[in-house]
């Protein structure tokens, strides 16, 4: 494939406004690109205009299955007036393509697509299969990877590469888990001059806030790769007007977990605290878990990890370390499949995901195509 077409494919999918939805348009575009090169694909509907894309090449009878994965959704561009150029009309300046999703992570996804097409065009000798799993809803709950996993698309996978934007800073083999939670407090309205006739929902919510901070911050829980367990309340609301005792209040927060202080344990402790507080007179607290993504800690010295390091070093002439990160990825759902397999996160990128004037270096994008190709042929040799 010519360089111009490779850049155009990335340009075209960045121009598709798949902000927390509309991934089907990206999937259909990519399926047409595959079809142009004689490769079949299929779509898996999650919701209206939200379809994941599945594509496979290689030797059907082989036991080895290397999964390539990337998500098609992007986050909001925010105030588009703050951007130097329209975030959904990609622009190339000084060797960089600017636009929402260029870095996170349509460049990684496009690089995987083109790598598969070029391997097919070159009749590469693959002793196994490469399966692309392009997902919906990664940014708002890893929806597509959860569905694909439940429907068996990773049951026979033997290794996985997720093309999130790591650049050459590191190859990720571990990341923290993530819990989004909400606590609601129900009280009783009364005039603020007669508080004894009401039940202050904010007071009761504050008891949870204080006790939970003590519970989760009084001890330090650390993983040698992922660092510390993190607990934060990030949103609080309550009350209706200044002279009324509030009958409702709520708080929301995010927790980043590690394998030795995991999601199940944290949720158990939160429920125990809620139950204890509700033993008090007039307390009505409820806990809701809005998102529950487990931590991932794969094999640091797996075949696919070693291959990625070797191939990348040859390509860019530098050692790429194996690292862990705090952010979560689709790996949190894919690793819930029927059997265990190693997973790494490695893709073109920099530090601009979710930022104004997000961009990708064109050279980095093009290099990753060659890296993915060699990783695949080496793993499936």
């Amino acid at each position: 494939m010519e360089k111009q077409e490779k850049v155009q494919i990335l340009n075209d999918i960045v121009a598709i406004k798949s902000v927390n939805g509309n991934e089907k348009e990206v999937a259909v575009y990519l399926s047409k690109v595959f079809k142009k090169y004689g490769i079949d694909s299929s779509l898996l509907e999650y919701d209206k205009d939200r379809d994941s894309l599945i594509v496979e090449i290689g030797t059907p009878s082989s036991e080895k299955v290397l999964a390539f994965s990337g998500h098609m959704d992007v986050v909001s561009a925010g105030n588009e007036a703050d951007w130097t150029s329209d975030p959904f009309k990609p622009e190339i300046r000084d060797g960089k393509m600017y636009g929402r999703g260029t870095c996170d992570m349509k460049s990684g996804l496009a690089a995987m697509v083109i790598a598969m097409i070029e391997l097919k065009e070159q009749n590469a000798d693959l002793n196994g299969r490469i399966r692309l799993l392009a997902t919906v809803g990664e940014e708002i709950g890893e929806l597509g990877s959860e569905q694909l996993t439940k429907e068996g698309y990773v049951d026979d996978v033997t290794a996985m590469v997720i093309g999130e934007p790591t650049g050459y800073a590191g190859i990720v083999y571990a990341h923290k888990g993530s819990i989004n939670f909400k606590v609601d407090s129900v009280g009783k309205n009364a005039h603020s001059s007669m508080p004894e006739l009401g039940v202050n929902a904010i007071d009761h919510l504050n008891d949870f806030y204080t006790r939970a901070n003590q519970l989760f911050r009084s001890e330090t829980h650390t993983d040698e790769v992922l660092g510390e367990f993190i607990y934060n309340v990030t949103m609080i609301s309550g009350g209706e007007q200044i002279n009324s005792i509030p009958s409702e209040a709520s708080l929301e927060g995010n927790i980043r977990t590690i394998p030795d202080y995991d999601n199940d344990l944290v949720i158990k402790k939160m429920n125990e605290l809620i139950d204890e507080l509700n033993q008090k007179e007039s307390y009505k607290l409820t806990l809701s878990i809005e998102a529950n993504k487990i931590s991932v800690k794969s094999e640091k010295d797996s075949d696919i990890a070693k291959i990625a390091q070797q191939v990348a070093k040859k390509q860019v002439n530098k050692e790429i370390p194996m690292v862990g990160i705090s952010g979560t990825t689709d790996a949190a759902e894919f690793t819930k499949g029927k059997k265990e397999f190693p997973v790494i996160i490695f893709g073109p990128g920099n530090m601009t995901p979710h930022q104004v004037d997000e961009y990708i270096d064109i050279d980095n994008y093009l290099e990753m195509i060659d890296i993915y190709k060699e990783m695949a042929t080496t793993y499936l040799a």
Side-chain angles (χ1 to χ4, degrees):
M1 189 184 294
E2 296 294 326
K3 174 182 176 180
Q4 182 179 352
E5 185 177 359
K6 296 175 183 180
V7 174
Q8 189 63 48
I9 288 171
L10 177 57
N11 181 95
D12 290 348
I13 62 175
V14 172
I16 297 171
K17 199 169 185 178
S18 54
V19 177
N20 301 323
N22 194 40
E23 296 96 337
K24 183 176 182 177
E25 189 173 344
V26 181
V28 169
Y29 174 89
L30 293 175
S31 69
K32 289 178 179 177
V33 174
F34 278 114
K35 187 176 182 180
K36 176 182 174 181
Y37 289 92
I39 301 172
D40 293 330
S41 60
S42 61
L43 273 60
L44 177 66
E45 184 180 37
Y46 176 81
D47 203 348
K48 187 179 185 298
D49 296 326
R50 309 197 73 179
D51 292 53
S52 293
L53 176 69
I54 303 99
V55 187
E56 191 170 292
I57 64 170
T59 309
S61 59
S62 174
E63 292 183 0
K64 272 193 169 183
V65 179
L66 174 62
F68 280 164
S69 183
H71 62 85
M72 298 178 287
D73 59 317
V74 299
V75 297
S76 168
N79 184 0
E80 297 187 12
D82 292 338
W83 287 66
T84 305
S85 55
D86 189 323
F88 297 103
K89 291 181 180 177
E91 186 173 297
I92 295 176
R93 305 190 298 270
D94 300 322
K96 301 176 175 67
M97 182 184 290
Y98 289 82
R100 175 56 85 221
T102 48
C103 183
D104 186 12
M105 58 157 289
K106 287 179 175 177
S107 58
L109 176 61
M112 289 175 162
V113 167
I114 295 165
M116 291 175 68
I117 288 170
E118 292 195 332
L119 289 171
K120 181 73 160 44
E121 286 292 284
Q122 294 162 7
N123 293 314
D125 185 14
L126 301 176
N127 182 28
R129 291 168 281 164
I130 305 173
R131 181 179 300 148
L132 177 70
L133 301 171
T135 63
V136 304
E138 189 272 349
E139 297 285 6
I140 51 169
E142 297 160 15
L143 309 175
S145 54
E146 181 180 22
Q147 181 187 23
L148 286 162
T149 301
K150 287 180 178 178
E151 298 203 17
Y153 285 92
V154 297
D155 285 354
D156 58 350
V157 166
T158 55
M160 176 176 282
V161 182
I162 297 177
E164 290 277 12
T166 61
Y168 300 132
I171 297 169
V172 175
Y173 72 101
H175 66 65
K176 290 179 180 177
S178 180
I179 301 170
N180 292 341
F181 69 94
K182 182 180 182 184
V183 175
D184 290 299
S185 175
V186 176
K188 181 183 177 183
N189 283 130
H191 197 282
S192 60
S193 65
M194 296 177 284
E196 70 278 5
L197 300 180
V199 175
N200 194 316
I202 291 178
D203 284 350
H204 295 177
L205 187 70
N206 185 57
D207 283 351
F208 172 86
Y209 177 89
T210 303
R211 291 283 302 278
N213 272 342
Q214 293 171 345
L215 175 63
F216 293 119
R217 292 177 173 174
S218 61
E219 299 177 359
T220 300
H221 303 278
T222 304
D223 181 272
E224 61 182 359
V225 176
L226 297 173
E228 293 186 1
F229 164 86
I230 299 170
Y231 171 88
N232 284 305
V233 170
T234 53
M235 295 174 64
I236 294 179
S237 64
E240 295 177 352
Q241 64 183 57
I242 193 71
N243 62 341
S244 292
I245 298 299
S247 63
E248 294 181 351
S250 66
L251 63 77
E252 297 178 62
N254 175 258
I255 302 169
R256 300 289 167 153
T257 59
I258 56 179
D260 288 340
Y261 205 72
D262 64 12
N263 297 38
D264 289 345
L265 177 60
V266 171
I267 293 170
K268 177 175 179 288
K269 286 178 175 288
M270 293 180 79
N271 276 315
E272 288 173 347
L273 176 55
I274 291 285
D275 290 344
E276 179 185 340
L277 290 171
N278 281 340
Q279 296 301 310
K280 297 183 178 182
E281 184 179 356
S282 302
Y283 277 63
K284 293 181 181 178
L285 299 169
T286 57
L287 171 68
S288 304
I289 302 301
E290 309 290 331
N292 184 11
K293 305 301 175 183
I294 63 173
S295 60
V296 172
K297 200 169 187 181
S298 190
E299 302 168 38
K300 186 177 182 180
D301 59 351
S302 66
D303 286 348
I304 194 63
K306 289 179 179 177
I307 289 168
Q309 282 187 300
Q310 292 164 3
V311 172
K313 181 181 179 181
K314 185 167 69 172
Q315 182 75 25
V316 300
N317 197 31
K318 64 180 285 189
E319 295 281 354
I320 311 295
M322 300 297 298
V323 300
I325 58 173
S326 290
T328 186
T329 73
D330 275 334
E333 289 298 332
F334 283 136
T335 53
K336 294 177 182 178
K338 285 187 176 180
K339 66 178 184 179
E340 191 173 335
F341 55 82
V343 57
I344 59 170
I345 296 119
F346 185 35
N350 48 58
M351 299 300 289
T352 63
H354 299 206
Q355 295 183 26
V356 168
D357 286 346
E358 179 183 352
Y359 72 86
I360 190 68
D361 286 286
I362 298 295
D363 286 345
N364 184 203
Y365 162 59
L366 297 173
E367 285 170 352
M368 282 305 304
I369 295 171
D370 293 332
I371 289 173
Y372 286 146
K373 286 168 63 180
E374 189 170 348
M375 284 172 59
T377 54
T378 304
Y379 180 75
L380 298 176

